[in-house]
Amino acid sequence: WVYYSSTPSTNFWRSDNIPSSKIRLLLFMRHYVILLGGLLLNFCFAWGQFNEDAVLNIPNDDKLPLNWGYFVGLNQFDYQISYINPSYDANPSLSPTEILVQKSTGFNVGLIGEMRINELLDLRLEPGFYSGKTTLEFKSQSLISEKDSIREIKSTYINLPLLLKFSANRIGNWRPFIVGGPYAAINLSSNENSIDDNQSGTFKIQKWNYGYQIGVGIDLYLSYFKFTPSIRGVFSLTDDAIRDAEPNSPWTGNIHKMRSRGVFLVLTFE
């Protein structure tokens, strides 16, 4: 026996009973509700961190005489180059008169030691490992092939900065600051003692580098630790380029000074 019902199905929510336009609308609304919920959760978290009347996380963290932590981050190195003869037309025998710097992104990792001086001022030692790569392109009529006009500089620094950190008063669970100070760095990838030079395809760089860095950031006091994003500018005072043996070298003959500089994104955990 087969029974046929004359009553139409009441399962309206079956996909074959809903027009495709309504299905797309329902899916969009579902995604919108999920997104809105995520934004509300993020807003609540941000309000809890930045609200002046928020419950204080790790309230005694800044009162410790000594503190420690570690950092990770990204870097991008560049060179500031000045020339003996900046005008090509004035003396075309001096070349190249322009060096193009192609930057790439590297990474940083290191440790943090901090000593409290007073309520607003801290002394920090941040030994770290910095790795990056820079490509120099020499624009000269005498350097035509890529083999002659391109030099790749790999940098692997052990960096030792001594910094002063000046912080504003803590507001809820956040605290802005500025930081700066001198540094000394040794380039483990330096070819300073190599007998080769650009005639053999080697652009030589000084082993030691000295300069200063300055930056801004914000301390975020979480439940169990302090998370600090900051951005730093790093400026060398050392002339990094080692000149070729040939005084009129098309690679280094026209360089007056070549100083490294960089931008660091630093994420610290204390």
Side-chain angles (χ1 to χ4, degrees), residues 128-201:
F129 175 87
Y130 298 78
S131 179
K133 184 180 71 173
T134 308
T135 302
L136 303 180
E137 181 179 357
F138 294 84
K139 293 294 186 179
S140 172
Q141 292 181 347
S142 62
L143 302 175
I144 301 178
S145 68
E146 182 176 330
K147 178 182 177 182
D148 290 334
S149 62
I150 300 295
R151 293 290 182 267
E152 187 177 278
I153 301 175
K154 294 182 179 180
S155 302
T156 305
Y157 285 104
I158 299 297
N159 193 12
L160 187 64
L162 184 64
L163 307 173
L164 279 176
K165 177 183 177 183
F166 180 77
S167 304
N169 290 321
R170 178 171 174 172
I171 304 173
N173 286 317
W174 66 286
R175 192 179 193 187
F177 66 87
I178 59 174
V179 64
Y183 74 85
I186 181 171
N187 187 356
L188 302 180
S189 300
S190 171
N191 49 13
E192 178 179 354
N193 298 322
S194 174
I195 62 174
D196 296 326
D197 61 11
N198 281 288
Q199 294 291 342
S200 305

Side-chain angles (χ1 to χ4, degrees), residues 14 27 57 64 73 86 120 144 182 191 214 241 258 260 265:
R14 290 175 53 188
L27 291 174
N57 295 326
L64 299 174
L120 302 178
I144 301 178
N191 49 13
I214 187 169
M258 179 173 160
S260 62
L265 173 65

Side-chain angles (χ1 to χ4, degrees), residues 99-135:
I99 303 175
L100 302 182
V101 182
Q102 301 175 11
K103 298 170 285 187
S104 60
T105 301
F107 70 92
N108 328 323
V109 63
L111 301 175
I112 300 169
E114 182 179 75
M115 182 179 71
R116 185 174 185 265
I117 298 177
N118 57 39
E119 186 177 351
L120 302 178
L121 195 62
D122 299 288
L123 182 66
R124 295 170 68 90
L125 189 64
E126 298 185 359
F129 175 87
Y130 298 78
S131 179
K133 184 180 71 173
T134 308
T135 302

Side-chain angles (χ1 to χ4, degrees), residues 77 159 183 212-214 232-236 260-264:
F77 281 104
N159 193 12
Y183 74 85
Y212 65 94
Q213 64 174 266
I214 187 169
R232 314 272 183 91
V234 181
F235 306 93
S236 172
S260 62
R261 56 188 179 182
V263 177
F264 292 176

Side-chain angles (χ1 to χ4, degrees), residues 67-81:
N67 200 0
W68 67 276
Y70 66 93
F71 68 86
V72 296
L74 301 174
N75 68 65
Q76 193 172 78
F77 281 104
D78 190 5
Y79 284 103
Q80 183 181 22
I81 303 172

Side-chain angles (χ1 to χ4, degrees), residues 22-37:
K22 289 187 177 181
I23 293 177
R24 289 195 297 269
L25 178 61
L26 289 173
L27 291 174
F28 173 79
M29 291 178 63
R30 184 183 67 178
H31 294 157
Y32 178 79
V33 169
I34 294 173
L35 177 61
L36 181 61

Side-chain angles (χ1 to χ4, degrees), residues 246-258:
E246 170 58 45
N248 294 324
S249 165
W251 295 275
T252 63
N254 197 36
I255 296 177
H256 178 237
K257 287 186 178 179
M258 179 173 160

